[in-house]
Coordinates of all heavy atoms in Angstrom, one line a residue:
M1 N -96.1 46.5 -10.0 CA -95.1 46.7 -9.0 C -94.0 47.6 -9.6 O -93.9 47.8 -10.8 CB -94.5 45.3 -8.7 CG -93.8 44.6 -9.8 SD -93.4 42.9 -9.4 CE -92.1 43.2 -8.2
V2 N -93.2 48.1 -8.7 CA -92.1 49.0 -9.1 C -90.8 48.3 -9.2 O -90.5 47.5 -8.3 CB -92.0 50.2 -8.0 CG1 -90.9 51.1 -8.4 CG2 -93.3 51.0 -7.9
I3 N -90.1 48.5 -10.3 CA -88.9 47.8 -10.5 C -87.7 48.8 -10.5 O -87.9 49.9 -11.1 CB -88.9 47.2 -12.0 CG1 -90.2 46.4 -12.2 CG2 -87.7 46.3 -12.2 CD1 -90.2 45.0 -11.6
V4 N -86.7 48.4 -9.9 CA -85.5 49.3 -9.9 C -84.4 48.8 -10.8 O -84.2 47.6 -10.8 CB -84.9 49.5 -8.4 CG1 -84.6 48.2 -7.8 CG2 -83.7 50.4 -8.4
N5 N -83.9 49.7 -11.6 CA -82.8 49.3 -12.5 C -81.5 49.6 -11.7 O -81.1 50.7 -11.5 CB -82.8 50.2 -13.8 CG -81.7 49.8 -14.8 OD1 -80.7 49.3 -14.4 ND2 -82.0 50.0 -16.0
E6 N -81.0 48.5 -11.2 CA -79.8 48.7 -10.3 C -78.6 49.2 -11.0 O -77.7 49.7 -10.4 CB -79.5 47.3 -9.7 CG -80.6 47.0 -8.6 CD -80.5 45.6 -8.1 OE1 -79.7 44.8 -8.6 OE2 -81.4 45.2 -7.3
K7 N -78.5 49.2 -12.3 CA -77.4 49.7 -13.1 C -77.5 51.3 -13.1 O -76.5 51.9 -13.2 CB -77.4 49.2 -14.5 CG -77.0 47.8 -14.6 CD -76.9 47.3 -16.1 CE -76.8 45.8 -16.1 NZ -77.5 45.2 -17.2
I8 N -78.7 51.8 -13.0 CA -78.9 53.2 -13.0 C -79.0 53.8 -11.6 O -78.5 54.9 -11.3 CB -80.1 53.6 -13.8 CG1 -80.1 53.0 -15.2 CG2 -80.3 55.1 -13.9 CD1 -81.3 53.2 -16.0
C9 N -79.6 53.1 -10.7 CA -79.8 53.6 -9.3 C -78.5 54.0 -8.6 O -77.5 53.3 -8.6 CB -80.5 52.5 -8.5 SG -80.7 53.0 -6.8
D10 N -78.6 55.2 -8.1 CA -77.4 55.8 -7.4 C -77.5 55.6 -5.9 O -76.6 56.1 -5.1 CB -77.4 57.3 -7.7 CG -76.0 57.9 -7.4 OD1 -75.0 57.3 -7.6 OD2 -76.1 59.1 -6.9
L11 N -78.6 54.9 -5.4 CA -78.8 54.7 -4.0 C -78.9 56.1 -3.2 O -78.4 56.2 -2.1 CB -77.7 53.8 -3.3 CG -77.6 52.4 -4.0 CD1 -76.5 51.7 -3.3 CD2 -78.9 51.6 -3.8
C12 N -79.5 57.1 -3.9 CA -79.5 58.4 -3.3 C -80.5 58.6 -2.2 O -80.4 59.5 -1.4 CB -79.8 59.4 -4.4 SG -81.5 59.3 -5.0
G13 N -81.5 57.7 -2.2 CA -82.5 57.7 -1.1 C -83.7 58.6 -1.3 O -84.5 58.7 -0.5
T14 N -83.8 59.3 -2.4 CA -84.9 60.1 -2.7 C -86.2 59.4 -2.7 O -87.2 59.8 -2.1 CB -84.7 60.8 -4.1 OG1 -83.5 61.6 -4.1 CG2 -85.9 61.7 -4.4
C15 N -86.3 58.2 -3.3 CA -87.5 57.4 -3.4 C -87.9 57.0 -2.0 O -89.1 56.9 -1.7 CB -87.3 56.2 -4.3 SG -85.9 55.2 -3.9
V16 N -86.9 56.6 -1.2 CA -87.2 56.2 0.2 C -87.9 57.3 1.0 O -88.9 57.1 1.7 CB -85.9 55.8 0.9 CG1 -86.2 55.4 2.4 CG2 -85.2 54.7 0.2
A17 N -87.4 58.6 0.8 CA -88.0 59.7 1.5 C -89.4 60.1 1.0 O -90.2 60.5 1.8 CB -87.0 60.9 1.3
V18 N -89.7 59.9 -0.3 CA -91.0 60.3 -0.8 C -92.1 59.2 -0.7 O -93.3 59.6 -0.8 CB -90.9 60.8 -2.3 CG1 -90.0 62.0 -2.4 CG2 -90.5 59.7 -3.2
C19 N -91.7 58.0 -0.5 CA -92.7 56.9 -0.5 C -93.7 57.1 0.7 O -93.2 57.2 1.9 CB -92.1 55.6 -0.4 SG -93.3 54.2 -0.2
P20 N -95.0 57.3 0.5 CA -95.9 57.6 1.6 C -96.1 56.4 2.5 O -96.7 56.6 3.6 CB -97.2 58.0 0.8 CG -97.1 57.4 -0.5 CD -95.6 57.3 -0.8
V21 N -95.8 55.2 2.1 CA -96.1 54.1 3.0 C -94.8 53.4 3.4 O -94.8 52.3 4.0 CB -97.0 53.0 2.3 CG1 -98.4 53.6 2.1 CG2 -96.5 52.6 0.9
D22 N -93.7 54.1 3.2 CA -92.4 53.6 3.6 C -92.1 52.1 3.2 O -91.6 51.3 4.1 CB -92.3 53.7 5.2 CG -92.1 55.1 5.6 OD1 -91.5 55.9 4.8 OD2 -92.4 55.4 6.8
C23 N -92.4 51.8 2.0 CA -92.1 50.4 1.6 C -90.8 50.2 0.8 O -90.5 49.1 0.4 CB -93.3 49.9 0.8 SG -93.5 50.6 -0.8
I24 N -90.0 51.3 0.7 CA -88.7 51.2 0.1 C -87.6 51.2 1.1 O -87.6 52.0 2.0 CB -88.5 52.3 -0.9 CG1 -89.7 52.4 -1.9 CG2 -87.2 52.0 -1.7 CD1 -89.6 53.6 -2.9
E25 N -86.8 50.2 1.1 CA -85.7 50.1 2.0 C -84.4 50.2 1.3 O -84.1 49.6 0.2 CB -85.8 48.8 2.7 CG -84.7 48.6 3.8 CD -84.7 47.2 4.5 OE1 -85.7 46.5 4.2 OE2 -83.7 46.9 5.1
L26 N -83.5 51.1 1.8 CA -82.2 51.3 1.2 C -81.1 50.6 2.0 O -81.0 50.9 3.2 CB -82.0 52.8 1.1 CG -80.7 53.3 0.4 CD1 -80.8 53.0 -1.1 CD2 -80.6 54.8 0.6
T27 N -80.4 49.8 1.4 CA -79.3 49.2 2.1 C -78.0 49.7 1.5 O -78.1 50.6 0.6 CB -79.3 47.6 2.0 OG1 -78.8 47.3 0.7 CG2 -80.6 47.0 2.2
E28 N -76.9 49.3 2.0 CA -75.6 49.8 1.5 C -75.4 49.5 0.0 O -74.7 50.2 -0.7 CB -74.5 49.2 2.4 CG -73.2 50.0 2.2 CD -72.1 49.5 3.2 OE1 -72.5 48.8 4.2 OE2 -71.0 49.7 3.0
F29 N -76.0 48.4 -0.4 CA -75.7 47.9 -1.7 C -76.9 47.9 -2.7 O -76.8 47.9 -3.9 CB -75.2 46.5 -1.7 CG -73.9 46.4 -0.8 CD1 -74.0 45.8 0.4 CD2 -72.7 47.0 -1.2 CE1 -72.9 45.7 1.2 CE2 -71.6 46.9 -0.4 CZ -71.7 46.3 0.8
D30 N -78.1 47.9 -2.1 CA -79.3 47.9 -3.1 C -80.5 48.4 -2.5 O -80.6 48.9 -1.3 CB -79.5 46.4 -3.6 CG -79.8 45.4 -2.5 OD1 -79.9 45.8 -1.4 OD2 -79.9 44.2 -2.9
L31 N -81.5 48.4 -3.3 CA -82.8 49.0 -2.9 C -83.8 47.9 -2.9 O -83.9 47.1 -3.9 CB -83.2 50.0 -4.0 CG -84.2 51.1 -3.7 CD1 -83.6 52.1 -2.7 CD2 -84.6 51.8 -5.0
I32 N -84.6 47.8 -1.8 CA -85.6 46.7 -1.8 C -87.0 47.4 -1.7 O -87.2 48.2 -0.8 CB -85.3 45.9 -0.5 CG1 -83.9 45.3 -0.6 CG2 -86.4 44.8 -0.4 CD1 -83.4 44.9 0.8
I33 N -87.9 47.0 -2.6 CA -89.2 47.5 -2.6 C -90.2 46.4 -2.2 O -90.2 45.4 -2.8 CB -89.6 48.1 -4.0 CG1 -88.6 49.2 -4.4 CG2 -91.0 48.6 -4.0 CD1 -88.7 49.7 -5.8
N34 N -90.9 46.7 -1.1 CA -91.8 45.7 -0.6 C -93.2 45.9 -1.3 O -94.0 46.7 -1.1 CB -92.1 45.9 0.9 CG -92.9 44.8 1.5 OD1 -93.7 44.2 0.9 ND2 -92.7 44.6 2.8
D35 N -93.4 45.0 -2.3 CA -94.5 45.1 -3.2 C -95.8 44.9 -2.4 O -96.9 45.3 -2.9 CB -94.4 44.1 -4.3 CG -95.4 44.4 -5.4 OD1 -95.4 45.5 -5.9 OD2 -96.1 43.4 -5.8
E36 N -95.8 44.2 -1.3 CA -97.1 43.9 -0.6 C -97.6 45.2 0.1 O -98.8 45.3 0.4 CB -96.8 42.8 0.5 CG -96.7 41.5 -0.3 CD -96.5 40.3 0.7 OE1 -96.7 40.5 1.9 OE2 -96.0 39.3 0.2
I37 N -96.7 46.1 0.4 CA -97.1 47.4 1.1 C -97.3 48.5 0.0 O -98.1 49.3 0.2 CB -96.0 47.8 2.1 CG1 -95.8 46.7 3.1 CG2 -96.4 49.1 2.8 CD1 -94.7 46.9 4.1
C38 N -96.6 48.4 -1.1 CA -96.7 49.5 -2.1 C -98.1 49.7 -2.6 O -98.9 48.7 -2.8 CB -95.8 49.0 -3.3 SG -96.0 50.1 -4.7
I39 N -98.5 51.0 -2.6 CA -99.9 51.3 -3.0 C -99.9 51.8 -4.5 O -100.9 52.3 -4.9 CB -100.5 52.4 -2.1 CG1 -99.6 53.6 -2.0 CG2 -100.7 51.8 -0.7 CD1 -100.3 54.8 -1.3
R40 N -98.8 51.6 -5.2 CA -98.7 52.0 -6.6 C -99.1 53.4 -6.9 O -99.8 53.8 -7.8 CB -99.6 51.1 -7.4 CG -99.0 49.6 -7.4 CD -100.1 48.6 -7.5 NE -99.6 47.2 -7.6 CZ -99.1 46.6 -6.5 NH1 -99.0 47.2 -5.4 NH2 -98.6 45.4 -6.7
C41 N -98.6 54.3 -6.0 CA -98.9 55.7 -6.3 C -97.9 56.3 -7.3 O -98.2 57.4 -7.9 CB -98.7 56.5 -4.9 SG -97.0 56.5 -4.3
N42 N -96.8 55.6 -7.6 CA -95.8 56.0 -8.6 C -95.1 57.3 -8.3 O -94.4 57.9 -9.2 CB -96.5 56.1 -10.0 CG -96.8 54.8 -10.5 OD1 -96.4 53.7 -10.0 ND2 -97.7 54.7 -11.5
I43 N -95.2 57.8 -7.1 CA -94.5 59.0 -6.7 C -93.0 58.8 -6.8 O -92.2 59.6 -7.3 CB -94.8 59.5 -5.2 CG1 -96.3 60.0 -5.2 CG2 -93.9 60.5 -4.7 CD1 -96.8 60.3 -3.8
C44 N -92.5 57.6 -6.3 CA -91.1 57.3 -6.4 C -90.6 57.3 -7.8 O -89.5 57.8 -8.1 CB -90.8 56.0 -5.7 SG -91.7 54.6 -6.5
I45 N -91.4 56.9 -8.7 CA -91.0 56.8 -10.2 C -90.8 58.3 -10.7 O -89.8 58.6 -11.4 CB -92.0 56.1 -11.0 CG1 -92.0 54.6 -10.5 CG2 -91.7 56.2 -12.5 CD1 -93.1 53.8 -11.1
K46 N -91.7 59.1 -10.3 CA -91.6 60.5 -10.8 C -90.5 61.3 -10.1 O -89.9 62.2 -10.7 CB -93.0 61.3 -10.4 CG -94.1 60.8 -11.3 CD -95.4 61.6 -11.0 CE -96.6 60.9 -11.5 NZ -97.6 60.7 -10.5
M47 N -90.2 60.9 -8.9 CA -89.2 61.7 -8.1 C -87.8 61.2 -8.3 O -86.8 61.9 -7.9 CB -89.6 61.7 -6.6 CG -90.9 62.4 -6.3 SD -90.9 64.1 -6.8 CE -89.8 64.8 -5.6
C48 N -87.5 60.0 -8.8 CA -86.2 59.5 -8.9 C -85.4 60.4 -9.9 O -85.7 60.5 -11.0 CB -86.2 58.1 -9.4 SG -84.5 57.5 -9.8
P49 N -84.3 61.0 -9.4 CA -83.5 61.9 -10.3 C -82.8 61.2 -11.4 O -82.3 61.8 -12.3 CB -82.6 62.6 -9.3 CG -82.5 61.7 -8.1 CD -83.8 60.9 -8.0
F50 N -82.7 59.9 -11.3 CA -81.9 59.1 -12.3 C -82.8 58.3 -13.2 O -82.4 57.5 -14.0 CB -80.9 58.3 -11.6 CG -79.9 59.0 -10.8 CD1 -80.1 59.3 -9.4 CD2 -78.8 59.6 -11.4 CE1 -79.2 60.0 -8.7 CE2 -77.8 60.3 -10.6 CZ -78.1 60.5 -9.3
A51 N -84.1 58.4 -13.0 CA -85.1 57.6 -13.7 C -84.8 56.1 -13.7 O -84.9 55.4 -14.7 CB -85.2 58.1 -15.2
A52 N -84.4 55.7 -12.5 CA -84.1 54.3 -12.3 C -85.2 53.4 -12.0 O -85.1 52.2 -12.0 CB -83.0 54.2 -11.2
L53 N -86.4 54.0 -11.7 CA -87.6 53.2 -11.4 C -88.6 53.2 -12.5 O -88.8 54.2 -13.2 CB -88.2 53.8 -10.1 CG -87.4 53.8 -8.8 CD1 -88.1 54.6 -7.8 CD2 -87.2 52.4 -8.3
T54 N -89.2 52.0 -12.7 CA -90.2 51.9 -13.7 C -91.4 51.1 -13.0 O -91.1 50.3 -12.1 CB -89.8 51.2 -15.0 OG1 -89.1 50.0 -14.6 CG2 -88.9 52.1 -15.8
S55 N -92.5 51.2 -13.6 CA -93.6 50.4 -13.1 C -94.0 49.3 -14.0 O -93.9 49.4 -15.2 CB -94.8 51.3 -12.8 OG -95.9 50.9 -13.5
K56 N -94.2 48.2 -13.5 CA -94.5 47.0 -14.3 C -95.8 46.4 -13.8 O -96.0 46.1 -12.6 CB -93.4 46.0 -14.1 CG -93.5 44.8 -15.1 CD -92.3 43.9 -14.9 CE -92.6 42.6 -15.6 NZ -91.6 41.6 -15.2
T57 N -96.8 46.2 -14.6 CA -98.0 45.6 -14.2 C -97.9 44.1 -14.2 O -97.3 43.5 -15.1 CB -99.2 46.0 -15.1 OG1 -98.8 45.8 -16.4 CG2 -99.5 47.5 -14.9
S58 N -98.5 43.5 -13.2 CA -98.4 42.1 -13.1 C -99.5 41.4 -13.9 O -99.5 40.3 -14.3 CB -98.5 41.6 -11.6 OG -99.5 42.3 -11.0
E59 N -100.6 42.2 -14.2 CA -101.7 41.7 -15.1 C -101.2 41.5 -16.5 O -100.4 42.2 -17.0 CB -102.9 42.6 -15.1 CG -103.4 43.0 -13.7 CD -102.9 44.3 -13.3 OE1 -103.2 45.3 -14.0 OE2 -102.2 44.4 -12.3
V60 N -101.7 40.5 -17.1 CA -101.2 40.2 -18.5 C -102.3 40.8 -19.5 O -103.5 40.7 -19.2 CB -101.1 38.7 -18.8 CG1 -100.6 38.4 -20.2 CG2 -100.2 38.1 -17.8
Ligands
SF4_1 S1 -84.5 57.8 -6.1 FE1 -83.8 56.6 -7.8 S2 -81.5 56.7 -7.8 FE2 -82.3 57.4 -5.8 S3 -82.3 55.5 -4.5 FE3 -84.3 55.7 -5.4 S4 -84.2 54.5 -7.3 FE4 -82.1 54.8 -6.7
SF4_2 S1 -95.2 53.5 -6.0 FE1 -95.6 54.8 -4.2 S2 -96.0 53.3 -2.5 FE2 -95.0 52.2 -4.2 S3 -92.8 52.2 -3.7 FE3 -93.3 54.0 -5.0 S4 -93.7 55.7 -3.6 FE4 -93.8 53.8 -2.4

């Protein structure tokens, strides 16, 4: 799943625009990533200008 570091995120909306399945929602105060829709393409992680997104595997 994709994790957002809210201390770094500028709420710029770039990740929302690049997500191919529209699973990122930007509100006035935070970013919500719907992990059930996310296809783990990692485009948002590459495109975030602030490197606020990281990927975390749920498998141990
Ligand atoms: S692209 Fe990065 S800084 Fe911009 S809203 Fe998404 S996570 Fe936040
Ligand atoms: S990894 Fe891909 S599908 Fe998942 S939130 Fe990022 S851009 Fe969207």
